[in-house]
Amino acid sequence: MDMSRGVPVRVQMETWVEQDGQQEHHQYDEPGQMVQLGNTIYIRYVEPDQDHLPVTVKIKGDNNVELTRGSNQGDTRLHLQFIAEKQVHAQYRTPYGVIPVDTITPRIDVAYTLEPVNGQVYVEYRLIANNEHLGDYRMRLIFSA
């Protein structure tokens, strides 16, 4: 099977957000695609909410995951990198301008197999902007062919 051309997968994405004492929980179950290039795996799908933002999760090894929401062409693009126990700078492009943000990732778990194709990524991270703690986030991505 040529994974560089992409394999259809079922994507289950679950996120938990805690901001200002408020909690939110989102869950998507969408068709997507998995592509493998070298040692890197890309999971792609489109969020079903009103914006229909494309999402790419890039898995580079056990403790390095990147999340991109939106596209280079759109007015909204968020690109976050999660590296276990590190603080990483990022940029959040909004219709109102670019906001610099940092992620801190206390926990990251990655496990997958390619035959059969299935896996799980779990990330706990904190978002910081202007030295202010914006919120705590958890994300679980499950994919299977």
Side-chain angles (χ1 to χ4, degrees), residues 11 23 36 44 76 86 98 125:
V11 175
Q23 292 194 335
Q36 182 188 15
R44 296 190 180 114
T76 301
K86 286 207 170 30
V98 173
Y125 65 99

Side-chain angles (χ1 to χ4, degrees), residues 1 3 7 9 34 111-119 143-145:
M1 186 168 8
M3 303 268 184
V7 178
V9 289
M34 184 201 92
Y112 62 85
T113 60
L114 296 176
E115 289 180 23
V117 169
N118 71 44
F143 60 93
S144 55

Side-chain angles (χ1 to χ4, degrees), residues 29-124:
D29 193 334
E30 293 298 311
Q33 193 179 50
M34 184 201 92
V35 175
Q36 182 188 15
L37 296 173
N39 293 329
T40 303
I41 287 180
Y42 299 83
I43 307 291
R44 296 190 180 114
Y45 69 99
V46 175
E47 282 187 357
D49 58 14
Q50 68 275 12
D51 296 330
H52 294 292
L53 289 177
V55 175
T56 301
V57 177
K58 182 177 178 181
I59 303 167
K60 301 174 1 184
D62 288 346
N63 62 359
N64 190 334
V65 171
E66 292 179 28
L67 170 74
T68 305
R69 285 181 74 230
S71 66
N72 286 330
Q73 291 74 39
D75 23 326
T76 301
R77 184 173 187 271
L78 177 63
H79 179 88
L80 299 177
Q81 186 173 16
F82 309 111
I83 301 174
E85 297 176 15
K86 286 207 170 30
Q87 183 162 343
V88 183
H89 300 297
Q91 292 198 321
Y92 185 14
R93 194 171 71 229
T94 73
Y96 314 104
V98 173
I99 303 168
V101 292
D102 284 2
T103 56
I104 297 177
T105 307
R107 182 172 166 197
I108 187 167
D109 295 315
V110 175
Y112 62 85
T113 60
L114 296 176
E115 289 180 23
V117 169
N118 71 44
Q120 178 166 298
V121 175
Y122 177 76
V123 180
E124 291 178 4

